Amino acid sequence: RLRGKSVRKLLEERLPKKVVDILRKAGQVGSARGEEVYLVGGAVRDLLLRNHNLDIDLVIEGQGIPFARELAAQFPGCRIRGHEKFGTAVILFEDNFKIDVATARHEYYARPGALPTVETSSIKRDLFRRDFTMNTLAISLNTRTIGHLIDFFGGSRDIKERIIRVLHNLAFVEDPTRILRAVRFSSRFGFAIGKHTLNLMKAAIRMKLFDKVEGKRLLNELIHMLEEKNPLSPLTLMDGYGIPQALHPALNFTPKTMELVESTIGVLSWWKYLFMKDQIDSWSVYFLALTDNLSDGDFKSVVERFSIVGDLGRHMASERILVRQALALFARGIIEKPSEIYSVLRNLSLETLLFMMAKTMREETRMAISEYIINYRYVKPLLTGKDLIRMGYEPGPIFAPILRTLKQASLDREVLTRSEAEDLVRRIFPIKKKEADRDTISLDS
Ligand code: ATP
């Protein structure tokens, strides 16, 4: 076992006390169970880089699920969700903090030839399956070894030298999505991709290895990339290596595409600044930007390649057409009143609206969409169905146009009070007298 230097101090100083206490407890539980417990992956990498990261991944040499159960029992209100098939568990704390637990099983390898069967350390094999050396570090958490940095593959040197390196020559062949991960990490940390690794990566791109990868996995990595703080940087790198075309021959990041991405970044930071409650998928706004220069047919094919199927795929394809129609209407200058803006935009998702803001060159259009997002979409008619019944209207198909008219009037600020609204309704939708009423009137007269 390669027990290197101690990073215990770093661990205790950089992580919140609550997390340190949980990790210490994890080590104690492991030691009592006779199992080795390690903190692994991104959290260790980011600890050495002094970056904030509370994605805690533990690997247990032993039985992950029973370990997780025992650890959870130490904390009030703590639950676990185990996946027997994979030997993994998520420990969910009362305050929503969570920890992922995986099992590194003890397996015995038969050596080729006459050599005896040997037991390799299972943590080593677990770490060897990872993508880059910087992600292969582990920190022992057991009572007597807490804080020992375990570095089988030179990860801490590569982090120090700020280099991304694969563990072996088949890394990209085994899993081409690592190409996207290399690009993402390289731009996030400002790390260079090692020379040999870069050659392997370029060869993998040339060999069209992406073609063998399931769309869902590619999309997953693309989403991670688009959710980076500044996606322009990995996207530019990606383009430099010819990755877009390797993902799908129609994908083509032109300077205009990059401008659109930049403008999307601006719009999304405006959106974030608004602190609206709506949850949006920011990746899909970027996705619309990256595919804006494609024909409808190519867009459909790209969407299929990334397995964006079902409702979402159909929805993206149809909204893309609606965007063009709406922008054309705005460009003709015929959409002015708030109620007109509302009726053009009402069926579009927030992601599409934000994309439109990024795409349009007209300041008026951008303002109109932002007004819609901030105000218009919340406007309600001043009266409800109940009010209409109280006013003497019979519930029926007439209610929809009345309420629509009222909403338009509120949007355009033509009515400001409930009594103005009532007057408007009575004027536009006079109540028809019933036959019986008319009879009475004619008799009387
Ligand atoms: P991030 O900070 O973006 O979450 P991370 O390193 O924590 O980065 P994850 O995608 O959460 O990345 O993956 C967790 C760990 O799993 C990584 O540290 C990496 O070692 C390993 N891993 C993820 N994807 C792959 C892959 N395609 N091939 C090999 N190892 C992978």
Side-chain angles (χ1 to χ4, degrees):
R1 199 101 345 157
L2 268 175
R3 295 222 189 278
K5 64 174 187 179
S6 173
V7 290
R8 182 174 180 169
K9 245 196 158 146
L10 197 59
L11 195 71
E12 288 169 350
E13 284 169 9
R14 299 283 316 176
L15 295 179
K17 181 173 178 306
K18 191 194 81 182
V19 177
V20 175
D21 287 345
I22 294 171
L23 295 181
R24 200 176 286 127
K25 204 43 132 211
Q28 287 163 5
V29 168
S31 296
R33 291 173 53 87
E35 296 173 332
E36 296 286 327
V37 181
Y38 303 95
L39 174 66
V40 298
V44 181
R45 174 198 70 213
D46 286 333
L47 192 68
L48 298 194
L49 283 168
R50 273 71 169 167
N51 287 338
H52 176 81
N53 185 346
L54 293 182
D55 285 343
I56 302 294
D57 289 308
L58 301 183
V59 170
I60 314 303
E61 275 184 325
Q63 293 190 294
I65 299 176
F67 164 88
R69 208 170 285 131
E70 218 170 294
L71 178 57
Q74 309 274 329
F75 299 91
C78 193
R79 294 169 297 133
I80 84 152
R81 226 176 28 218
H83 294 276
E84 293 291 342
K85 192 174 156 202
F86 302 109
T88 59
V90 184
I91 308 180
L92 297 154
F93 291 81
E94 222 176 3
D95 58 357
N96 287 333
F97 182 69
K98 68 174 190 60
I99 286 186
D100 286 304
V101 177
T103 303
R105 287 202 184 80
H106 267 287
E107 284 167 29
Y108 294 88
Y109 269 122
R111 281 250 186 105
L115 292 164
T117 306
V118 289
E119 177 201 357
T120 11
S121 120
S122 50
I123 183 71
K124 183 173 180 182
R125 263 182 293 121
D126 183 286
L127 296 170
F128 184 66
R129 284 192 283 110
R130 292 174 189 252
D131 46 4
F132 308 113
T133 58
M134 63 178 187
N135 288 332
T136 60
L137 293 167
I139 297 175
S140 173
L141 298 177
N142 288 73
T143 328
R144 274 194 275 163
T145 47
I146 186 166
H148 285 200
L149 185 69
I150 291 154
D151 182 2
F152 291 109
F153 309 106
S156 52
R157 181 201 56 215
D158 288 344
I159 288 178
K160 208 171 278 158
E161 292 176 6
R162 309 182 80 78
I163 286 190
I164 295 173
R165 269 194 242 277
V166 288
L167 277 82
H168 54 85
N169 289 351
L170 292 178
F172 294 120
V173 177
E174 253 175 33
D175 182 357
T177 66
R178 291 172 182 162
I179 296 170
L180 298 176
R181 294 176 64 84
V183 166
R184 175 160 66 93
F185 289 133
S186 162
S187 83
R188 185 200 295 173
F189 299 126
F191 280 22
I193 298 175
K195 196 169 160 224
H196 182 57
T197 298
L198 192 59
N199 286 334
L200 295 170
M201 189 174 115
K202 287 180 176 165
I205 297 168
R206 264 200 316 275
M207 286 158 63
K208 302 196 180 304
L209 292 184
F210 281 127
D211 290 357
K212 298 190 181 15
V213 185
E214 253 181 293
K216 238 189 272 167
R217 299 195 59 229
L218 287 183
L219 179 66
N220 193 30
E221 277 306 331
L222 184 68
I223 290 176
H224 277 312
M225 188 177 283
L226 298 177
E227 284 176 346
E228 288 286 310
K229 236 185 227 130
N230 173 15
L232 192 65
S233 143
L235 289 170
T236 308
L237 259 185
M238 200 177 143
D239 191 39
Y241 296 124
I243 294 173
Q245 291 78 1
L247 290 172
H248 189 289
L251 279 177
N252 180 17
F253 296 178
T254 63
K256 219 170 148 198
T257 311
M258 293 315 197
E259 264 173 43
L260 194 48
V261 169
E262 237 181 313
S263 153
T264 305
I265 293 172
V267 171
L268 287 173
S269 61
W270 169 81
W271 164 258
K272 211 167 150 200
Y273 182 75
L274 288 179
F275 296 111
M276 294 264 182
K277 287 215 179 73
D278 321 63
Q279 287 289 322
I280 62 155
D281 284 323
S282 52
W283 72 266
S284 72
V285 188
Y286 288 116
F287 190 86
L288 289 171
L290 292 174
T291 52
D292 189 50
N293 57 355
L294 304 187
S295 67
D296 289 340
D298 281 342
F299 180 79
K300 195 163 161 266
S301 159
V302 167
V303 159
E304 274 165 14
R305 174 62 188 108
F306 284 103
S307 301
I308 310 179
V309 286
D311 285 349
L312 182 59
R314 270 194 299 279
H315 170 83
M316 280 179 130
S318 65
E319 294 232 335
R320 207 167 161 264
I321 298 169
L322 293 176
V323 164
R324 286 201 299 267
Q325 292 170 347
L327 287 178
L329 285 176
F330 278 112
R332 282 163 60 193
I334 51 175
I335 311 289
E336 279 175 352
K337 290 205 274 181
S339 62
E340 292 165 348
I341 296 172
Y342 182 90
S343 73
V344 172
L345 301 179
R346 56 183 284 235
N347 289 320
L348 299 173
S349 68
L350 273 169
E351 286 86 351
T352 305
L353 292 166
L354 293 168
F355 168 65
M356 275 176 80
M357 285 179 74
K359 182 174 160 69
T360 183
M361 297 286 165
R362 289 177 85 242
E363 192 50 34
E364 296 97 311
T365 306
R366 194 171 302 126
M367 288 297 294
I369 303 171
S370 73
E371 279 295 329
Y372 173 83
I373 291 176
I374 298 170
N375 299 317
Y376 304 160
R377 69 190 169 115
Y378 297 115
V379 171
K380 297 258 178 301
L382 279 167
L383 305 176
T384 62
K386 265 197 192 130
D387 294 319
L388 298 180
I389 294 170
R390 185 181 39 76
M391 288 167 65
Y393 288 89
E394 288 256 0
I398 187 75
F399 274 34
I402 297 182
L403 293 172
R404 202 162 48 236
T405 304
L406 281 172
K407 194 187 226 174
Q408 281 171 4
S410 286
L411 279 162
D412 296 338
R413 306 192 65 74
E414 288 164 1
V415 296
L416 299 175
T417 64
R418 283 167 57 87
S419 85
E420 282 174 11
E422 286 180 9
D423 291 346
L424 177 80
V425 173
R426 288 204 181 91
R427 199 169 67 243
I428 304 186
F429 302 92
I431 299 179
K432 290 203 186 78
K433 294 280 177 211
K434 284 187 190 153
E435 297 299 322
D437 293 343
R438 249 180 255 148
D439 286 345
T440 330
I441 295 166
S442 60
L443 281 176
D444 283 352
S445 53

